[in-house]
Amino acid sequence: MLNMLWPTFIIGSIFYGIFCGDLNKLNTSIMSGAQDAITTCLTLLGSMCLWSGVMSIAEKTKFINNISKIISPIVNFLFPELKENKKIKKEISMNMVANILGLGNSATPLGLKAMDSLQKINKNKKELSDSMAMLILLNTASLQLIPTTVIAIRSSLGSQNPTNIIVPVWIATLVAAIVGVTSVKLFIKLGRKKK
Amino acid sequence: MQVINYISNIAMPLILLIILMHGLIEKQKVFDLFLEGASEGIKITLRIFPTLIGLFVAISMLKDSGIIDFITNLLSPGLDLINFPKEIMPLALLRPISGNASIAIATNIMKTFGVDSNLGIIAATLMGATETTIYTIAVYTSSVKITKTRFVLIAGLLADIAGILTSVAVCRFLSNGFS
């Protein structure tokens, strides 16, 4: 994706700069952009390490396992297809909990493992099953309790109160997730009617 | 407003506390585990470092050449209609496509308009509340070699639009509390 976007951005800006924009400004922005990246990365480094550290405690203990049990009613509601398939349900809950905790690194492997198990019981191997669609949607929904990266960026830019976006983020994520889940459920229903 | 700020402030320490207590109850060597993860964090940051340099340059060029203003002005009649801040539009467009590009553009917005300004807070909330939908769908479907994705993209994008609009609305509503 970036192999297309990146050159488009640069070539587009150069053409626009030459014909209708400000070439002086463009020149300074080429150098300052690279510098900004360094300052952002360096300030991100601290909080990235801190959170990876804390989260590795959550990963190595039974923390994720224990929390997964709490969300099992939600999983039952979202994945009615799976009924008694406890193994897949457990994989899905662990993926959700890892997402909620912001454990991007372990969420993806857990999610892909669940995808794999779902594919095994999928009737049409070329098409996503209902449960697979729901699982993907949940992973695009950014159900994160602490948006660490944004908080780190905010504090690197000298915000007075970097964490005060947490509740607004929760509200927006929740609305997005509800809209997403509802539309998946609706699409599934509509698809059944057609058949 | 104060309650919301309080919850926002207590969320991070509380999670730290719960995880640490959990580790101690299980009699784990929590500091060793922490160190392990922290050095992993260095690797992750170094891995995205070159990507961010490339993207920061591209984004600041887009901004300073004036092309972003040109595009947002083109879109502004429609955006004004739904009362959507046009400065946020570039971020909203890029967010589902590329995570790192949206980090670059969100940082740029927070810097240009002020990190604690209304626009800065909207940009941050939007970043936290949405995911790189298109990339995630690609990873998940290709892992099981499925090409028929049915309605997933539409549902994911609908969720993103809802998240984006809610971010703007919530931040506007709470704007008195932030200052």
Side-chain angles (χ1 to χ4, degrees), chain A residues 2-180:
Chain A
L2 285 176
N3 282 322
M4 259 160 52
L5 279 179
W6 190 66
T8 317
F9 286 174
I10 292 185
I11 295 167
S13 340
I14 293 175
F15 273 113
Y16 191 87
I18 291 174
F19 293 112
C20 358
D22 187 342
L23 268 182
N24 256 335
K25 249 177 133 183
L26 189 66
N27 270 313
T28 43
S29 82
I30 294 174
M31 296 316 294
S32 70
Q35 267 168 15
D36 283 353
I38 305 229
T39 23
T40 309
C41 257
L42 282 181
T43 38
L44 272 179
L45 192 61
S47 36
M48 284 297 277
C49 291
L50 173 74
W51 278 101
S52 319
V54 173
M55 288 313 172
S56 96
I57 302 175
E59 260 176 317
K60 303 278 157 60
T61 57
K62 292 198 183 77
F63 188 69
I64 297 185
N65 258 317
N66 293 346
I67 303 275
S68 309
K69 281 175 202 146
I70 301 176
I71 62 164
S72 72
I74 304 173
V75 176
N76 286 336
F77 166 74
L78 293 174
F79 299 90
E81 265 191 345
L82 295 179
K83 286 172 201 133
E84 290 306 307
N85 203 325
K86 287 209 177 101
K87 187 182 150 267
I88 302 184
K89 272 188 187 165
K90 196 185 163 206
E91 288 172 0
I92 292 172
S93 343
M94 287 182 68
N95 166 256
M96 279 173 76
V97 173
N99 272 322
I100 291 169
L101 291 174
L103 297 163
N105 284 322
S106 50
T108 311
L110 285 169
L112 295 181
K113 210 167 126 200
M115 274 303 268
D116 212 48
S117 315
L118 285 171
Q119 175 74 326
K120 275 178 198 144
I121 56 164
N122 190 7
K123 283 169 198 139
N124 181 351
K125 302 279 180 215
K126 285 193 175 132
E127 198 178 273
L128 291 178
S129 66
D130 294 352
S131 302
M132 288 166 129
M134 186 59 87
L135 177 67
I136 295 179
L137 184 108
L138 289 174
N139 275 283
T140 67
S142 173
L143 300 160
Q144 203 179 342
L145 215 47
I146 309 285
T148 42
T149 315
V150 196
I151 293 174
I153 296 173
R154 276 172 60 72
S155 75
S156 81
L157 294 174
S159 163
Q160 296 281 320
N161 187 354
T163 53
N164 68 358
I165 55 150
I166 291 182
V167 171
V169 166
W170 286 350
I171 299 173
T173 309
L174 207 63
V175 172
I178 292 172
V179 168

Side-chain angles (χ1 to χ4, degrees), chain A residues 1-2 5-6 8-10 12-14 16-17 20-22 25-26 28-30 32-34 36-41 44-45 48-58 60-63 66 95 99 101 105 107-108 110-112 115-116 119 122 124-130 132-133 135-137 139-142 144-151 153-155 157-161 163-173 175-177 179-180 183-184 187-188 195, chain B residues 3-5 7-9 11-12 15-16 18-20 22-23 26 28 30-42 44-49 51-67 70 94-95 97-98 100-101 103 106-108 110-111 115-116 120-121 123-134 136-137 139-141 143-152 154-156 158-160 162-164 166-167 170-171 174 177-179:
Chain A
M1 191 66 87
L2 285 176
L5 279 179
W6 190 66
T8 317
F9 286 174
I10 292 185
S13 340
I14 293 175
Y16 191 87
C20 358
D22 187 342
K25 249 177 133 183
L26 189 66
T28 43
S29 82
I30 294 174
S32 70
D36 283 353
I38 305 229
T39 23
T40 309
C41 257
L44 272 179
L45 192 61
M48 284 297 277
C49 291
L50 173 74
W51 278 101
S52 319
V54 173
M55 288 313 172
S56 96
I57 302 175
K60 303 278 157 60
T61 57
K62 292 198 183 77
F63 188 69
N66 293 346
N95 166 256
N99 272 322
L101 291 174
N105 284 322
T108 311
L110 285 169
L112 295 181
M115 274 303 268
D116 212 48
Q119 175 74 326
N122 190 7
N124 181 351
K125 302 279 180 215
K126 285 193 175 132
E127 198 178 273
L128 291 178
S129 66
D130 294 352
M132 288 166 129
L135 177 67
I136 295 179
L137 184 108
N139 275 283
T140 67
S142 173
Q144 203 179 342
L145 215 47
I146 309 285
T148 42
T149 315
V150 196
I151 293 174
I153 296 173
R154 276 172 60 72
S155 75
L157 294 174
S159 163
Q160 296 281 320
N161 187 354
T163 53
N164 68 358
I165 55 150
I166 291 182
V167 171
V169 166
W170 286 350
I171 299 173
T173 309
V175 172
V179 168
S183 37
V184 167
F187 277 121
I188 292 174
K195 279 168 197 169
Chain B
V3 180
I4 288 177
N5 268 332
I7 299 174
S8 282
N9 285 335
M12 209 151 79
I15 287 187
L16 255 173
I18 294 172
I19 291 176
L20 277 181
H22 207 101
E26 279 187 32
Q28 297 272 359
V30 280
F31 194 68
D32 287 348
L33 287 177
F34 169 80
L35 290 181
E36 228 174 83
S39 50
E40 196 61 32
I42 298 182
I44 299 165
T45 318
L46 285 182
R47 212 184 305 141
I48 62 167
F49 197 19
T51 322
L52 280 185
I53 291 183
L55 288 167
F56 268 63
V57 172
I59 298 288
S60 71
M61 283 176 78
L62 276 180
K63 213 143 188 173
D64 288 339
S65 69
I67 193 168
F70 175 72
L94 269 181
R95 183 66 184 121
I97 302 169
S98 164
N100 287 324
I103 288 183
T107 311
N108 199 305
M110 290 184 231
K111 237 182 170 169
V115 61
D116 286 322
I121 287 174
T125 307
L126 201 161
M127 272 303 287
T130 50
E131 252 298 329
T132 44
T133 302
I134 293 176
T136 309
I137 293 176
V139 170
Y140 274 77
T141 50
S143 80
V144 285
K145 298 188 181 69
I146 280 182
T147 44
K148 278 192 188 159
T149 59
R150 294 165 77 195
F151 47 78
V152 165
I154 302 172
L158 278 176
D160 279 344
I164 290 167
T166 316
S167 301
V170 170
C171 291
L174 294 177
F178 302 123
S179 51

